[in-house]
């Protein structure tokens, strides 16, 4: 078995080596013509490329991914004399077209990831290539500068004995060399300088250095120049742009040294120039790719945060305002799910174009943060209403349907607007506020904007804090259960109790279910929390039965959330809990809200049918708050209707509201016809309880009988009016 595995590994290694050689052969054919002397023969160059190909292949497959080893490939290519200006595009072109094809990752990964890795490897190769080429040129520069300075000093000190040698170095240098007097008049330049400027026919001799101004000159460039000609410094080095004879821009790595006479007085300026235009363009291209979204061409998250951080810097006069519109497309996931990601991408491109047209001012920027999220930024002395005006323009721009491949796609969006003076909040805080506000707009129906509000932000942050605390709270035993009695109206005896979960939060005290159940629903924690409640309630019901202090059977009611209904293990978990507690299924009632069952198909109802067949009661909670389609009750596996309190408020005082009486009377009559019992919640007065008993309701619960409390107080009924009206 071991020898077989070794053979398979050897075959895999041979196949990989073959792919590397094939990739190196393609690479050699493309790049070899661009080698400068002394150059290797093509076969020798091809062998030279094989280990470089292996370096790229290893980096492509590395876990975790690290593109830095690819920089050594660029450096090795410079050492092989790939220094022609046309060499780098050829090198990167082969990597882009053939690396993933011939040297694919040794572990499966999405095509998008392998292409992204390949792109970053190209960047690293280009960076290593540029760095090595720059170092090579610097060595040549230093040699030329040393020779030039030595020749000049010897000329000044020994009556120009080595003028010929200096002229040979001056004219033969591969870098640009120029000499000017201390007033800035150009005295001489070599042919390399003329080639850089694109004009071998004319010479700039006689022109003044001060005329060679470019709008993109570094802010301190001319200050350095004047310090040098005054003798306050001996040299400086900067990147400086010039205009060529055809109007294009030449970028140079410029080093200027001051030459003094024998007495130390400034006499000449010696300038050495390296053409870095291609390197600068490559840097700008890489910078653009790093700061712009590949799909839409908009600024990406990186560039947006750079601009936002700069905009939020405090100003002494406090005049700068920063406004932000955070936009999210409503229902974009449905587009991807139903029409595919290709159509989704086309829609994002169309949306980006429309949003780009909305920002026209110099202080305005629109960026894509990722997915279907866009953000617009306004900076400067803007008026407070400018942000809302921009939000309205963005919504108006998206109002017209987008036409894609014969489809007309309507676009709706929700926008959160934040506006304020710079310097008061950081970038993360501003974006968080905009995000929270955007979700408020989405919750209000979408296709609208909302303005940021500090109180709303605080509530959202508090909800987020509670969400983060939920998992630990369950592990730490911070939840407990209170029980509210269920009273039989015919004789006033307690027939059971509803289990109501509470959270004893270390900082906020006791929290009711309305404060944390929706959070548990949204995070998926509702399933383990619901099982814990069921376990505790079943254990308590068994304890009541074992104590034997209550007459007749007691039933415990436990609420089920919509997420629990969709949980595949609901039936198995419930059966296991009942078995562990030694509790008969008839002692358990599961309460499901009417809204959770509206429109449910047979597959969704099957778990409830299975539980009902086992003997578990199913109660339809909050009945009357949904469609109240009474005929729908015939197909639901329910045994109890829990009538919503809104139908019985008119019975709290005599005389009772006749409309409420008729409604409840009809519901009770129909429920009993369908062999369903009726429980009323929210009973607060004795008058209300009397009306409900006369109308035939079976059981009730509410503050008239008892507030939720510990299990030992189950039979302690107050029977006191609790209504404030």
């Amino acid at each position: 078995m071991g020898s077989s595995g070794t053979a398979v590994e050897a075959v895999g290694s041979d196949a990989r080596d073959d792919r590397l050689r094939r990739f190196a052969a393609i690479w050699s054919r493309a790049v070899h013509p661009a080698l400068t002397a002394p150059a290797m023969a093509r076969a020798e160059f091809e062998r030279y490329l094989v280990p470089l190909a292996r370096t790229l292949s290893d980096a492509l497959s590395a876990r975790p991914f690290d593109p830095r080893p690819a920089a050594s490939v660029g450096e090795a290519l410079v050492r092989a004399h790939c220094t022609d200006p046309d060499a780098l595009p050829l090198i990167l072109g082969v990597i882009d077209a053939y690396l993933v094809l011939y040297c694919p990752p040794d572990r499966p990964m999405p095509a998008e990831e392998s292409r992204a890795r390949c792109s970053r490897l190209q960047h690293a190769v280009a960076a290593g290539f540029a760095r090595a080429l720059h170092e090579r040129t610097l060595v040549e520069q230093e040699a030329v500068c040393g020779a030039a300075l030595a020749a000049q000093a010897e000329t000044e000190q020994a009556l120009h004995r080595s003028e010929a040698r200096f002229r040979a170095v001056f004219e033969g240098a591969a870098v640009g060399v120029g000499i000017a007097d201390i007033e800035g008049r150009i005295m001489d330049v070599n042919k390399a300088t003329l080639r850089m400027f694109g004009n071998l026919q004319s010479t700039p001799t006689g022109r003044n250095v001060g005329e060679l101004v470019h709008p993109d000159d570094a802010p301190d460039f001319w200050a350095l120049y004047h310090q040098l000609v005054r003798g306050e410094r001996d040299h400086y080095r900067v990147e400086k742009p010039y205009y060529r004879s055809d109007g294009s821009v030449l970028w140079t790595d410029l080093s200027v040294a001051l030459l003094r006479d024998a007495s130390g007085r400034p006499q000449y300026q010696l300038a050495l120039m390296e053409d870095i235009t291609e390197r600068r363009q490559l840097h700008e291209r890489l910078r653009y790719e790093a700061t712009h979204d590949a799909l839409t061409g908009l600024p990406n998250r990186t560039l947006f945060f750079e601009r936002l951080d700069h905009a939020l810097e405090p100003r002494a006069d406090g005049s700068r305002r920063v406004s932000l519109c955070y936009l999210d497309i409503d229902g974009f996931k449905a587009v991807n799910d139903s029409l595919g990601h290709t159509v989704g991408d086309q829609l994002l491109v169309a949306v980006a174009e429309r949003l780009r047209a909305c920002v026209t001012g110099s202080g305005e920027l629109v960026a894509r943060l990722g997915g279907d999220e866009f953000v617009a930024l306004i900076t400067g002395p803007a008026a407070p209403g400018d942000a809302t005006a921009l939000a309205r323009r963005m919504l108006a721009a998206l109002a017209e349907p987008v036409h894609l491949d014969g489809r007309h796609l309507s676009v709706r969006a929700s926008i959160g607007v934040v506006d304020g003076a710079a310097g008061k909040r950081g970038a993360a805080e501003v974006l968080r506020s905009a995000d929270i506000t955007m979700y408020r707009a989405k919750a209000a129906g979408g296709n609208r904007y909302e303005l940021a509000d500090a109180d709303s932000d605080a509530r959202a942050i508090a909800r987020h804090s509670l969400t983060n605390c939920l998992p630990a709270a369950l592990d730490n035993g911070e939840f407990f259960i209170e029980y509210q009695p269920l009273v039989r109206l015919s004789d006033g005896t307690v027939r059971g109790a509803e289990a109501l979960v509470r959270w004893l939060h270390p900082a906020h005290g006791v929290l009711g279910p309305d404060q944390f159940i929706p959070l548990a629903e949204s995070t998926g924690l509702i399933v383990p929390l619901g099982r814990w409640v069921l376990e505790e309630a079943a254990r308590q019901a068994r304890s009541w039965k074992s104590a034997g202090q209550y007459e007749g059977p007691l039933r415990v009611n436990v609420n089920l959330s919509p997420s629990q209904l969709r949980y595949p293990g609901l039936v198995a978990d419930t059966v296991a809990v009942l078995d562990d507690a030694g509790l008969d299924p008839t002692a358990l009632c599961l309460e499901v809200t009417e809204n959770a069952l509206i429109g449910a198909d047979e597959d969704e109802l099957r778990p409830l049918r299975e539980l009902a067949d086992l003997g578990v009661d199913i109660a339809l909670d909050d009945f009357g708050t949904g469609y109240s389609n009474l005929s729908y009750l015939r197909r639901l596996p329910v045994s109890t209707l829990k009538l919503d309190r809104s139908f019985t408020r008119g019975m709290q005082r005599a005389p009772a509201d006749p409309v409420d009486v008729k409604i409840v009377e009809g519901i009770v009559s129909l429920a009993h016809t369908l062999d369903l019992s009726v429980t009323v919640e929210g009973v607060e007065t004795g008058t209300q309880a009397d009306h409900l008993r006369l109308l035939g309701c079976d059981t009730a619960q509410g503050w008239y009988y008892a507030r939720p409390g510990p299990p030992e107080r189950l039979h302690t009924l107050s029977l006191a009016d609790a209504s404030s009206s």
Side-chain angles (χ1 to χ4, degrees), residues 568-627:
L570 173 63
V571 176
D573 278 2
T574 304
V575 171
V577 168
L578 292 172
D579 289 345
D580 289 345
L583 190 67
D584 191 270
T586 58
L588 174 65
C589 177
L590 297 177
E591 297 189 9
V592 185
T593 62
E594 180 184 12
N595 286 332
L597 294 184
I598 289 175
D601 58 28
E602 193 56 37
D603 287 341
E604 293 170 313
L605 294 176
R606 185 175 296 112
L608 293 182
R609 291 196 190 283
E610 293 177 6
L611 290 170
D613 291 343
L614 292 172
V616 176
D617 281 340
I618 307 296
L620 193 60
D621 197 10
D622 297 332
F623 181 76
T625 59
Y627 292 133

Side-chain angles (χ1 to χ4, degrees), residues 363 425 434 443 479 622 635 678:
R425 292 190 288 181
F479 293 99
D622 297 332
R635 61 180 293 262
V678 178

Side-chain angles (χ1 to χ4, degrees), residues 10 88 132 170 264 283 318 477 509 556 560 575 577 660 680 695:
L88 183 57
F170 182 80
H283 172 77
V556 63
L560 281 184
V575 171
V577 168
D660 283 356
V680 183
L695 289 172

Side-chain angles (χ1 to χ4, degrees), residues 144 169-179 186 188-205 212 242-245 250 252-255 270-275:
V144 171
V169 172
F170 182 80
E171 293 295 345
V175 297
V177 183
I179 299 176
I186 299 174
D188 202 357
V189 297
N190 67 351
K191 290 181 179 179
T193 303
L194 297 177
R195 282 195 296 270
M196 280 190 225
F197 281 84
N199 194 341
L200 289 170
Q201 305 305 318
S202 64
T203 174
T205 302
L212 305 178
Y242 294 96
Y243 286 113
R244 290 192 177 101
S245 57
L250 164 71
T252 66
D253 184 347
L254 175 66
S255 297
L270 175 66
L272 302 178
M273 288 178 284
E274 177 198 353
D275 183 352

